[in-house]
Amino acid sequence: MNDILEKTKRQDWIDIVKFWGMLAIVWGHTLSGGNVRHYLYSFHVPIFFFVVGLFFTSPQYSFWRFSTKKAK
């Protein structure tokens, strides 16, 4: 039972990175232009999807099989 709890324990750094990614997305979409918006657009969506995708699990398919199925 203790092994299961250790495997399902949330990692704080992941939640922090997702929070900053979401904040950057909101901030980037509220700005009308300028260098800050250009800078935020260089990473805000990719970093959010990268972190979310790191922990994607599907009981039926692997990540690549699921992705190709959805892309088709």
Side-chain angles (χ1 to χ4, degrees):
M1 180 77 174
N2 197 17
D3 292 336
I4 294 171
L5 290 176
E6 288 180 14
K7 289 180 182 178
T8 59
K9 184 180 175 194
R10 292 185 68 92
Q11 299 293 320
D12 292 336
W13 70 271
I14 297 165
D15 291 333
I16 292 168
V17 171
K18 287 194 303 188
F19 167 77
W20 284 107
M22 287 186 278
L23 186 64
I25 289 171
V26 171
W27 193 21
H29 285 281
T30 59
L31 296 174
S32 62
N35 290 338
V36 175
R37 182 176 186 206
H38 181 66
Y39 174 72
L40 287 173
Y41 267 72
S42 69
F43 73 88
H44 73 314
V45 173
I47 193 74
F48 179 74
F49 279 105
F50 176 75
V51 172
V52 171
L54 278 175
F55 302 99
F56 173 81
T57 58
S58 174
Q60 296 175 335
Y61 306 110
S62 70
F63 173 74
W64 294 111
R65 186 170 177 204
F66 177 82
S67 299
T68 43
K69 182 179 179 187
K70 291 295 179 182
K72 288 180 183 179

